[in-house]
Amino acid sequence: MGRRRRVRLARTVAVTVGVGALAAALVTDVGAHTRNRQERQALVTAIRALKKSQFDVGATTYARGLASGRLKGLQTSISTMVGDLAATQGVISNTNKAAYIQGLDLGILHTCLGGVGAAYQSIAAQNTNAATQEISAVSGSCLALDNGAGGGIVYPFDFPDPFVLRVGGTYFAYATNSAEGNIQIISSTDLSHWTAVGNALPRLPRWAAPNATWAPSVRQMGGTFVLYYSAVVAGPGGGEQCISAATATRPQGPFTDSSTLPLECQSSLGGSIDPFSFVDASGVSYLVWKSNGGSGQPATIWSQALNAAGTGLAGAGPSRLLGPTLPWEAGVVEAPDMVLEGGHYFLFFSGNNWNSSAYAVGMATCSGPLGPCALSTSQPILASDSGTAGSGGESVFADSSGQWWMAFDAWVPGAVAYPNSRALYLRRLTFSGSTAAIAASG
């Protein structure tokens, strides 16, 4: 299945295609010809340097779009460029491109593009700390532009497979590896404004391959924070997807993993990914995860008790919670997230192809953390809509007032599938008895 096998170098600065479209529609002063020629030369040089650095397709594509948006200083070229963008990406139609152009706040756009461009330069110089600071500085400006995409977007840069943890009055969000490191991390005090923190997991254990760490979750176990994540076994005969655990004394890390072997692999079932830690009503911790599928068994969600430290498995073995049975799942269930609310155990999961607009979130109810579980509805509770496409990789959490939220990643409609970016979205979640509902797109 390989849901998250792709390398994400420099993807965190690839703003969702909504901002990319706005960049391509920038209206500059037609009288500033000299400045534009200077910028053109500088940007051409920068793009060549980026290409030589062999960044992934997403970064290169966005960098080219960034250059195009900066270069066209003549009014006569705007219509053609925006029209071409609409034809190839489906973001801006011919009927509304004029409104896009006229509605741009050029100062905000200039700030966003400048920060993204500076971050690219820092990445090219292998200075990820500087890139993190530059992205944080312009996140608000880029978000102000990208909010036109709707859907509850709160962080406009690539942030797949999010997990949100509240510690006191601060929220920490973790996501799949990127230019910022093996596990990227951002923080917020109000759920609206997020700041890049950096790399939560600076070093991998020797058995793990680089650039393939994804789907993190974090659980506080007393004074220790345990980070669970997926990785690929390195070396000859490797390539298997497995789960590991790292620890830290602070939620922002740095987390360390001194393991010599993975925590869980399920080799006969195609490997193990998407770990999530859950604590039941009696305080016992469990690990919930997904096997890719193998030996005649489809992708399956499992659960097993953890030891007191949370870094090892306990009990008799894994219990099967859920497999794909519905047409909309297309043979895939993954990204499990379990919640205990009102005496009911809710199991949220993603289904279908992660690289498509059919990706969505479903829900089941369970008698306990080891199951059995039964589907609550035959349809997704969160799917593509006017503001999002391919919503999934969900994380459910409560804010300081007790309000439940679902964090998830999604594409902008019309720009679906890799190498386009998936931003971080938040929507309110409400429970009523054994049912739950997610707020509609805003």
Side-chain angles (χ1 to χ4, degrees):
M1 182 272 297
R3 176 184 173 214
R4 302 177 179 84
R5 279 182 182 271
R6 54 251 185 237
V7 174
R8 296 192 172 277
L9 292 178
R11 287 290 306 284
T12 200
V13 296
V15 189
T16 53
V17 96
V19 170
L22 292 171
L26 175 61
V27 183
T28 56
D29 184 356
V30 296
H33 294 178
T34 301
R35 184 186 65 196
N36 286 336
R37 283 194 293 269
Q38 293 172 343
E39 289 187 348
R40 176 170 188 154
Q41 184 58 48
L43 285 167
V44 167
T45 301
I47 295 304
R48 287 174 179 169
L50 288 173
K51 290 175 67 177
K52 290 179 181 179
S53 299
Q54 296 183 341
F55 291 127
D56 65 19
V57 176
T60 303
T61 300
Y62 185 76
R64 287 174 178 167
L66 177 62
S68 297
R70 288 284 214 134
L71 294 178
K72 59 118 199 50
L74 298 177
Q75 186 74 27
T76 53
S77 69
I78 296 173
S79 180
T80 299
M81 292 190 66
V82 178
D84 289 344
L85 183 68
T88 57
Q89 296 182 330
V91 178
I92 304 175
S93 69
N94 287 329
T95 58
N96 66 13
K97 65 184 179 183
Y100 258 87
I101 294 171
Q102 295 170 6
L104 291 175
D105 185 317
L106 302 186
I108 293 177
L109 182 54
H110 184 273
T111 300
C112 172
L113 295 182
V116 172
Y120 273 120
Q121 296 302 311
S122 295
I123 291 170
Q126 298 184 340
N127 189 344
T128 55
N129 288 333
T132 295
Q133 294 174 2
E134 287 151 357
I135 282 300
S136 292
V138 299
S139 175
S141 296
C142 295
L143 181 61
L145 298 171
D146 224 357
N147 263 335
I153 185 171
V154 295
Y155 191 67
F157 306 108
D158 197 55
F159 205 77
D161 316 314
F163 176 85
V164 178
L165 174 72
R166 180 174 65 86
V167 181
T170 302
Y171 302 87
F172 297 91
Y174 309 81
T176 288
N177 67 282
S178 70
E180 293 181 43
N182 296 312
I183 298 295
Q184 56 176 318
I185 176 173
I186 60 178
S187 67
S188 173
T189 57
D190 60 7
L191 296 179
S192 297
H193 304 90
W194 293 83
T195 300
V197 176
N199 185 6
L201 184 65
R203 294 182 179 83
L204 296 175
R206 296 185 63 181
W207 61 262
N211 304 322
T213 48
W214 59 85
S217 68
V218 178
R219 176 67 58 188
Q220 184 172 3
M221 311 283 284
T224 301
F225 293 87
V226 184
L227 165 71
Y228 303 92
Y229 66 98
S230 305
V232 172
V233 177
E240 185 176 34
Q241 297 172 298
C242 300
I243 292 169
S244 194
T247 58
T249 57
R250 305 185 307 161
Q252 63 267 46
F255 288 84
T256 58
D257 184 350
S258 58
S259 63
T260 57
L261 293 171
L263 177 63
E264 180 63 88
C265 275
Q266 292 177 294
S267 301
S268 63
L269 299 180
S272 303
I273 65 173
D274 295 355
F276 170 78
S277 178
F278 172 75
V279 179
D280 71 4
S282 62
V284 177
S285 297
Y286 296 83
L287 187 70
V288 185
W289 74 93
K290 171 258 183 104
S291 62
N292 283 328
S295 301
Q297 180 167 286
T300 303
I301 293 175
W302 304 85
S303 179
Q304 186 172 344
L306 287 163
N307 62 18
T311 55
L313 294 170
S319 297
R320 181 184 182 277
L321 297 185
L322 192 70
T325 59
L326 298 174
W328 75 263
E329 298 164 343
V332 176
V333 290
E334 58 189 15
D337 193 292
M338 186 172 281
V339 173
L340 175 60
E341 172 64 13
H344 299 276
Y345 289 87
F346 295 87
L347 176 64
F348 298 92
F349 64 93
S350 298
N352 211 296
N353 178 8
W354 69 269
N355 204 29
S356 74
S357 60
Y359 201 52
V361 176
M363 187 183 73
T365 54
C366 307
S367 61
L370 295 178
C373 302
L375 291 167
S376 301
T377 173
S378 61
Q379 297 299 320
I381 64 168
L382 177 65
S384 297
D385 54 30
S386 61
T388 60
S391 304
E394 74 292 336
S395 170
V396 176
F397 67 98
D399 65 20
S400 56
S401 68
Q403 168 66 56
W404 287 98
W405 294 85
M406 178 175 286
F408 60 96
D409 62 52
W411 281 285
V412 172
V416 176
Y418 183 81
N420 293 302
S421 299
R422 287 173 291 168
L424 173 63
Y425 293 77
L426 293 180
R427 291 192 190 171
R428 293 179 184 271
L429 176 67
T430 56
F431 293 94
S432 178
S434 61
T435 64
I438 300 173
S441 174

